[in-house]
Amino acid sequence: MGERIFVVGAGSMGSGIAQTFATAGFDVTMHDVKKEYVDAGFGRISGPLLKRVEKGKMTTAEVDAIVSRITPSTDFGDAQQADLIIEAVFEKMEVKKEVFSRLDAVAKPGAVLATNTSSLSISEIAAATTRPQDVIGMHFFNPAPVMKLVEVIRGSLTSDATFHKAAAICTKLGKEAVAVNEAPGFVVNRMLVPMMNEAFNILMEGVASAEDIDKAMKLGTNMPMGPFELADYTGLDIGLHTMETLFSETGDPKFRPSPLLRKYVRAGRLGRKVGIGVYDYRSG
Ligand code: 3HC
């Protein structure tokens, strides 16, 4: 495929993005700060693929070929060879800036530096580098190997060349890119996350049970998952963070985080990843 890809962060989005590129034939390096995090990322990749083998949709040889295209790394210096670097670390501006300033020091000239942030400012992340023209948002959706969309987001100084390179790579992945100019929450999360937030308000007011709110949205609008199933799947902390960004960036009360969402996050009810969110997954 030519381009070499370096993914920073082996969490659910980082590992899903690495898998997506490897499936499309790219050579990928998947980086995290500790070997155990990288190993966990490989587990998140092979698990769903082996389920596809069980269903007769893939062969073990195909799974092995995908996994073998992904090189583990705990060394930032490995980013040096990459043509495209995608950051998918914790959703905190200070952490992202630190990553981009370190990438700036090692990445080769002309490499595209992309962030998978779900709502933070591309321009502010880019300002942590000496090459803001090469910095762009490439926002994948969970599960990245399945979801067709990538929001390609221009920051204030992103060059047209960088935008076209990022959009062309989405096509090579078999994804559809939409062009977005930076704004809090971009396009999808600006609508989707307030809808999930409103579900928490509806539950808090006792209008309907969680099960019935999910059922209503699935059967009434053909959503594949109800808002609470989706919140548990993507992480309540991620949803709350997006609401806080929308609220603080716009000052608009329509984006006020639901007190019930806050309460669940404070209680550690973060969703499937910890075994409990709106629903309890610990017994089954
Ligand atoms: N890797 C490869 N294939 C995978 C996979 C993975 N990680 N996960 C699922 N698949 C495949 C399955 O093998 C299956 O393939 P098949 O149709 O060929 O058999 C197919 O995807 C569907 O999976 P399942 O049969 O296991 O389950 P479902 O049919 O219930 O679909 C779902 C699961 C695709 C997650 C579906 O429920 C769905 O689309 N949910 C909504 C997801 C969504 O809205 N995501 C966006 C969240 S917002 C976001 O990400 C923004 C961020 O900023 C927070």
Side-chain angles (χ1 to χ4, degrees):
M1 276 285 171
E3 293 100 335
R4 293 190 61 86
I5 315 297
F6 187 85
V7 180
V8 190
S12 53
M13 289 312 293
S15 59
I17 291 168
Q19 179 187 332
T20 304
F21 277 96
T23 304
F26 289 89
D27 288 322
V28 187
T29 300
M30 183 168 71
H31 172 279
D32 213 315
V33 286
K34 287 187 185 166
K35 184 181 173 300
E36 66 202 76
Y37 298 161
V38 182
D39 291 345
F42 273 96
R44 270 188 286 273
I45 292 169
S46 52
L49 289 179
L50 292 174
K51 273 198 192 142
R52 289 183 65 73
V53 173
E54 278 168 29
K55 286 199 269 178
K57 303 234 165 158
M58 273 182 113
T59 64
T60 43
E62 284 168 326
V63 175
D64 291 346
I66 292 170
V67 173
S68 71
R69 278 194 283 274
I70 306 173
T71 307
S73 164
T74 50
D75 179 359
F76 246 83
D78 296 337
Q80 213 172 358
Q81 306 303 322
D83 303 286
L84 167 66
I85 301 174
I86 303 189
E87 166 277 316
V89 302
F90 192 57
E91 280 290 282
K92 212 166 180 173
M93 183 53 87
E94 292 319 308
V95 180
K96 305 259 186 207
K97 282 183 174 170
E98 160 83 23
V99 166
F100 273 78
S101 133
R102 291 182 67 192
L103 289 174
D104 190 26
V106 294
K108 67 180 179 189
V112 172
L113 309 186
T115 170
N116 179 56
T117 180
S118 51
S119 61
L120 296 173
S121 163
I122 312 301
S123 304
E124 191 174 346
I125 294 170
T129 73
T130 57
R131 40 176 129 177
Q133 71 281 359
D134 298 334
V135 178
I136 195 156
M138 287 181 78
H139 184 211
F140 290 77
F141 293 81
N142 199 3
V146 178
M147 304 301 282
K148 282 277 170 210
L149 179 68
V150 183
E151 289 179 319
V152 182
I153 306 132
R154 292 175 203 253
S156 184
L157 294 171
T158 305
S159 70
D160 285 346
T162 300
F163 175 83
H164 292 303
K165 279 190 217 168
I169 282 187
C170 293
T171 306
K172 287 190 194 170
L173 288 175
K175 303 283 189 202
E176 293 281 339
V178 291
V180 180
N181 292 315
E182 177 179 318
F186 314 131
V187 172
V188 172
N189 280 346
R190 178 160 161 187
M191 286 184 270
L192 182 69
V193 183
M195 184 275 290
M196 287 150 78
N197 189 61
E198 199 53 24
F200 283 90
N201 286 332
I202 293 169
L203 180 63
M204 191 176 66
E205 288 171 19
V207 177
S209 67
E211 289 79 4
D212 277 354
I213 294 167
D214 274 347
K215 188 174 172 183
M217 291 305 283
K218 280 191 288 189
L219 300 185
T221 71
N222 264 1
M223 285 177 65
M225 289 176 169
F228 296 127
E229 289 169 336
L230 189 55
D232 278 356
Y233 184 70
T234 52
L236 273 66
D237 51 334
I238 305 288
L240 177 59
H241 179 268
T242 300
M243 287 310 295
E244 280 170 339
T245 303
L246 286 167
F247 189 47
S248 65
E249 288 281 322
T250 63
D252 191 329
K254 77 182 177 193
F255 294 124
R256 190 171 71 98
S258 168
L260 184 63
L261 172 59
R262 247 189 225 296
K263 186 169 157 185
Y264 280 9
V265 171
R266 284 182 176 148
R269 295 173 68 164
L270 306 184
R272 280 181 175 272
K273 62 188 168 188
V274 297
I276 183 164
V278 178
Y279 300 113
D280 192 343
Y281 305 90
R282 292 169 299 183
S283 53

